[in-house]
Structure formats: structure tokens, C-alpha cells
Amino acid sequence: MAAGVGAVVVPGHTAANTPDIADGSDPGESSGCPPATLTGHIVRPSDASYTDARLGWDQLFSHYPLVIVFAQETQDVMNALTWARQHNVALRVRSGRHALEGWSNVDNGIVIDVSRLKSVQIDPGARIATVGAGLNQLEAVTALAKQNLAVTTGSEGSVGLSGATLGGGLGPLNRWLGMACDSLIAAEVVVPSDHDCVKVINADLQHCSDLLWALRGAGNGNFGIVTQLTYKVYPLISLAYVQATWDGLGDLYGVFEEWQRTVPFADNRLGSELEIDKSQILLSAWLAEGSAAQAKEMLAPILSVGTPDVTVQVGNWGDIFAGAQPPLAQEPANSKFFSEFVKELFPKKAIDIIGDFMRNAPTEESNYFVDAFGGAIKREPRGGTAFVHRDALFYGEIGAVWGTRSTQPGVCDPLTSQAQAWTAEFGQALRPYTDGAYVNVPNVGMQEWETAYWGRQHFEQLRRIKAKYDPHNVFQYEQSIPPASQ
């Protein structure tokens, strides 16, 4: 599409009348673009579907937007962004609804939802996949696995692929294929233009390469609205999936010690996560193009601790991934997470802290979770990335989850204050042993979050890129990247 394209009404789409604006002014008087009309599927507070449309995955947060636009194609996104600019309305970008501080929603503003942009184009010969920004991770894994291809995603299927990728993207295949953002080779992005107009940019290594660099790890909703992503994908015919469970936390030190000394230094094909719950320890491991015997041999130092219950499954990655997904209705309503990266082996004191806090967790489902780094993560792709935590041994995450899903969220849960305090105290106790934080798992109360997410040098570069593509700071939220001073 041409730069500076104004908003138009797309034939066959549901057009929305402009909601009342406080000052009542005609936006066309001062705008360089024709007055915008919202298109796509529009949901307002008076609509029966409004409650479902506004709710996110984490029901701890409850916002009431003025209007929600479910875009059906890129032009709907352009119209919505133009409309928001012309009427000076706060906006947020949303896809998978997993923004963990509720920042993909906003009171009295417009939510531009790209979750219905689900196109998939795969070129197996070139090993290139171009997908709409609305795919979730389960849909992406499934589509690629049907052609024996793969790219790094997180392990939770309902999370949006675009949001996960744009913040870095870690998961079962990251030691083998690198971070999800490392495979991102191009993106279609709707950005602000002159006056109150918008334009579409196709960023790749030859065009707007600085924007592609930023999109590889800066986090979603900072520079524009990504509507399409192009990935380099990799052959994956078969995968061995190992699960081991230890009852209680009696073997915690032995299991954790062997895990942190084994997996981050293992064959790059081996990925692994370790989850410590209140009453059990769960190991998950994935060996790309490997057998059950090979996987168990690599994990032998860990599996030899205590008497774990061990299962191994070998098969197509899509089938294994889909089989591990819990039904949404069974997931707790509320959550609070604290993210961290670990660059040096945890001493016994740190592991003891984990055990002490987990024995006093607010719910059985709360956990401490680690994902192994090393392997391909250490190598940046051509063109570089904004993701800065490549020298970590592993990623760590404290997670408090509680409450039952409801159609009337926002009601004060008696566990909320206890769960939030537990998370904060746990994070503080581990702070001497950790470094940095993950932008996809933000913390609203974090001090010096800019350095924690991106490091000082990367943050200053991101500010300069922000000033180039969004100089008026149209895309902003509580911890968004501000433009560099002009």
C-alpha cells in the first residue's frame, strides 16, 4: 500500500458511526486525511457481545474501552488508527489478550484487535512462512507441523504469536532454533504518518531494517501495529517429549542442581522447562529429531535424582504441542508474574529460597518456572535484535495464580492481596541471584524497567527508532518506549 494512505470505508465491511467525542469538533478540519470511518467488526458498550469482547485472559484486570475494532484486514487497522488520531483517543493494540499487566486494553479508548488476521502462507521449498498477526501459538504450531516445519514459540497455545515474537519469544525449541524473534525476517506494520494519517511499512533487512531490529524484542505496541509477520522456518519431522514428576519438594535441591548444570550446556536440540509447584516438581523436555532413548540419556543426571514418574512420547510436534494444552475454562482467573534472567548457577541458598516460598504458595497452581537458555540463543541472527539477554543460563518466572473464571470479573478476590504480596516478596528474595527482566512478562511496579528489559544501550537505540517511526508517541502505555528528544 502507498505511504500516507488515508482512511477509507471498505466495501462489504461493517462501518461504525463515530462515537461521541467530547469536544464535538470535526476532525477533518485540521487533518491532512479524509475523516476516518471505523470498519471491520465493531463492538461498543451497548452491544451484547461487549463483555466477552473486552475481557482479557487475566481477569485481574477489567477495562471498559469506548470501542473495540476487530480488524478483518490491514485496511481496518489503518482506518482505526487514523480515527484514533483524528479524535485524539487513547488506543491499545491487542491480539492474544495475554498482556500480563492488562496493557492491551484501555478505559474510554479504542482497542484495535488483530486476532482475526489469521492468514497463513507457507513456502516449504524456501522455508518461509508469512502469517497474519492474529494467529495464536497453537494455530501457528499446527499449521507449520502439518508440513513438518517449525519455529520457536512459547508452550502456551492461546498466547498470540505476534506478541510473543515481538518481545523475544522463548519456549521448547529456543535452544535449537533461537528465540522466536530470531526467525522473524519481515513484518507489515501500520504506523503514524504526517498530520493524522497512517501508512503501511514493510520492514525487512533491506527496507527499514532499524524497525525490524526493534520489532525483534522490543515488545508489542511500541512503534505501530503489526499486521503480518514473515518467518524463516525449519524442518522438524519428529520430536521426543519427556515428562518427569517428583511428588513433594524433598528432591528440589538435587533436581534443580542437576537441571541447571545439565540442560543449558547440552546438545542444542534439547530444550527443557522445570516447574516447581507447591506439592510437586515437573520436568518437561523436548529433543528435536531425537529418540526416546537419546532424550532420557541426555536427561539422566536429572532423572537419577529420587524416583520420578517418567513418560516419553515421540511424534509430530503439532500433535505433542496440542496434547499439552489445558482447557481455558480450567485455568485460574487471576495471575501475577515476576520475570528474571539468571546468568550464574543458583547456589544452594537461592534454591532453598524457591523451596521456602513454594511451600507457602497462595494456591496449588502457583509455581516457579525456569526455561533453559544456551545453545542457539547465544547467536544473534543477521541484522541483530533488540533482545539483550542472550548470555543467560536460564529464564526464571514466579507465578501466582488464583480465582475462578467469571463473566463478572473485577470482583475483589480475598486471595488477591496475599498472592500479589507473595510474588513481590519472592522476587525480592531472589533478586541477588538474578539479572534483568522479560518485556513479555512485565511488572508494573518495577524500578528501572527500561534497563531490566533491554539494557541501557539498546533502550537508547529503541528511543531513537521510536522517534523516527512514532515521533508523537501515539503508541504509549505504562511501560512503553518513549521517543528520543528531538
Side-chain angles (χ1 to χ4, degrees), residues 412-444:
C412 185
D413 189 299
L415 273 178
T416 297
S417 59
Q418 176 188 341
Q420 292 178 326
W422 177 82
T423 309
E425 291 166 9
F426 197 167
Q428 187 64 27
L430 282 181
R431 191 171 181 182
Y433 312 101
T434 63
D435 184 272
Y438 185 32
V439 68
N440 278 349
V441 184
N443 189 333
V444 69

Side-chain angles (χ1 to χ4, degrees), residues 29-48:
E29 293 176 0
S30 58
S31 172
C33 295
T37 301
L38 298 178
T39 60
H41 178 65
I42 314 301
V43 179
R44 299 189 189 80
S46 59
D47 294 332

Side-chain angles (χ1 to χ4, degrees), residues 216-418:
R216 290 170 161 178
N220 201 7
N222 271 300
F223 304 94
I225 304 174
V226 174
T227 51
Q228 191 170 268
L229 307 101
T230 299
Y231 295 89
K232 180 180 180 182
V233 296
Y234 299 85
L236 178 58
I237 297 173
S238 172
L239 182 143
Y241 173 40
V242 180
Q243 280 197 302
T245 306
W246 290 259
D247 288 334
L249 302 185
D251 291 317
L252 175 59
Y253 176 73
V255 172
F256 200 104
E257 175 74 353
E258 293 298 338
W259 182 89
Q260 69 173 345
R261 291 183 178 275
T262 300
V263 183
F265 310 98
D267 187 309
N268 288 9
R269 293 176 299 145
L270 182 70
S272 179
E273 299 169 353
L274 190 66
E275 180 182 314
I276 298 96
D277 297 334
K278 192 169 186 175
S279 55
Q280 71 171 12
I281 304 167
L282 175 63
L283 167 75
S284 298
W286 303 265
L287 180 62
E289 305 295 5
S291 67
Q294 288 174 318
K296 291 176 75 172
E297 182 181 357
M298 291 180 187
L299 297 166
I302 311 164
L303 299 179
S304 65
V305 178
T307 55
D309 179 21
V310 182
T311 62
V312 187
Q313 179 183 357
V314 179
N316 176 271
W317 175 222
D319 296 335
I320 290 173
F321 188 91
Q325 301 305 315
L328 178 62
Q330 295 179 11
E331 295 185 359
N334 310 308
S335 60
K336 175 63 181 177
F337 298 93
F338 195 105
S339 64
E340 58 202 17
F341 291 92
V342 179
K343 295 184 177 180
E344 298 182 2
L345 295 169
F346 267 180
K348 185 176 186 299
K349 185 175 180 181
I351 300 171
D352 288 344
I353 288 170
I354 296 168
D356 290 342
F357 272 91
M358 287 314 309
R359 290 182 185 96
N360 294 287
T363 61
E364 287 291 335
E365 300 90 348
S366 298
N367 65 74
Y368 182 74
F369 158 91
V370 288
D371 179 275
F373 270 38
I377 296 173
K378 290 181 175 292
R379 301 192 302 269
E380 273 204 327
R382 188 164 69 95
T385 74
F387 182 78
V388 76
H389 307 286
R390 296 186 180 275
D391 56 348
L393 284 175
F394 56 88
Y395 166 76
E397 185 177 296
I398 298 162
V401 291
W402 69 100
T404 304
R405 292 194 170 272
S406 168
T407 56
Q408 295 180 317
V411 177
C412 185
D413 189 299
L415 273 178
T416 297
S417 59
Q418 176 188 341

Side-chain angles (χ1 to χ4, degrees), residues 45-62:
S46 59
D47 294 332
S49 60
Y50 179 75
T51 297
D52 287 340
R54 72 176 182 82
L55 289 181
W57 172 80
D58 189 346
Q59 295 192 346
L60 184 63
F61 307 101
S62 186

Side-chain angles (χ1 to χ4, degrees), residues 61-314:
F61 307 101
S62 186
H63 293 287
Y64 295 85
L66 180 69
V67 61
I68 303 166
V69 173
F70 289 92
Q72 315 292 322
E73 62 181 34
T74 298
Q75 187 65 57
D76 298 334
V77 174
M78 298 176 71
N79 294 349
L81 178 55
T82 306
W83 183 92
R85 297 193 71 199
Q86 289 178 347
H87 292 97
N88 195 27
V89 172
L91 68 94
R92 296 294 169 88
V93 184
R94 188 178 75 177
S95 178
R97 307 198 195 189
H98 277 258
L100 294 180
E101 290 287 8
W103 293 338
S104 65
N105 207 338
V106 63
D107 291 317
N108 300 314
I110 181 172
V111 172
I112 304 175
D113 187 299
V114 299
S115 64
R116 299 186 185 180
L117 302 180
K118 293 188 182 294
S119 60
V120 177
Q121 294 176 310
I122 301 173
D123 184 339
R127 296 179 184 171
I128 299 293
T130 298
V131 302
L135 254 63
N136 64 32
Q137 294 185 142
L138 175 59
E139 292 165 337
V141 169
T142 301
L144 289 171
K146 286 179 179 178
Q147 300 195 38
N148 291 324
L149 296 169
V151 71
T152 298
T153 70
S155 55
E156 194 164 350
S158 61
V159 170
L161 178 70
S162 57
T165 299
L166 298 174
L170 55 87
L173 304 180
N174 56 8
R175 297 192 68 255
W176 181 45
L177 302 180
M179 303 294 288
C181 69
D182 296 352
S183 295
L184 182 68
I185 58 173
E188 179 184 84
V189 195
V190 180
V191 300
S193 184
D194 295 337
H195 304 292
D196 289 330
C197 302
V198 303
K199 63 183 178 181
V200 173
I201 288 176
N202 290 289
D204 56 29
L205 289 173
Q206 286 73 44
H207 309 92
C208 304
S209 58
D210 54 349
L211 181 57
L212 179 65
W213 179 90
L215 294 175
R216 290 170 161 178
N220 201 7
N222 271 300
F223 304 94
I225 304 174
V226 174
T227 51
Q228 191 170 268
L229 307 101
T230 299
Y231 295 89
K232 180 180 180 182
V233 296
Y234 299 85
L236 178 58
I237 297 173
S238 172
L239 182 143
Y241 173 40
V242 180
Q243 280 197 302
T245 306
W246 290 259
D247 288 334
L249 302 185
D251 291 317
L252 175 59
Y253 176 73
V255 172
F256 200 104
E257 175 74 353
E258 293 298 338
W259 182 89
Q260 69 173 345
R261 291 183 178 275
T262 300
V263 183
F265 310 98
D267 187 309
N268 288 9
R269 293 176 299 145
L270 182 70
S272 179
E273 299 169 353
L274 190 66
E275 180 182 314
I276 298 96
D277 297 334
K278 192 169 186 175
S279 55
Q280 71 171 12
I281 304 167
L282 175 63
L283 167 75
S284 298
W286 303 265
L287 180 62
E289 305 295 5
S291 67
Q294 288 174 318
K296 291 176 75 172
E297 182 181 357
M298 291 180 187
L299 297 166
I302 311 164
L303 299 179
S304 65
V305 178
T307 55
D309 179 21
V310 182
T311 62
V312 187
Q313 179 183 357
V314 179

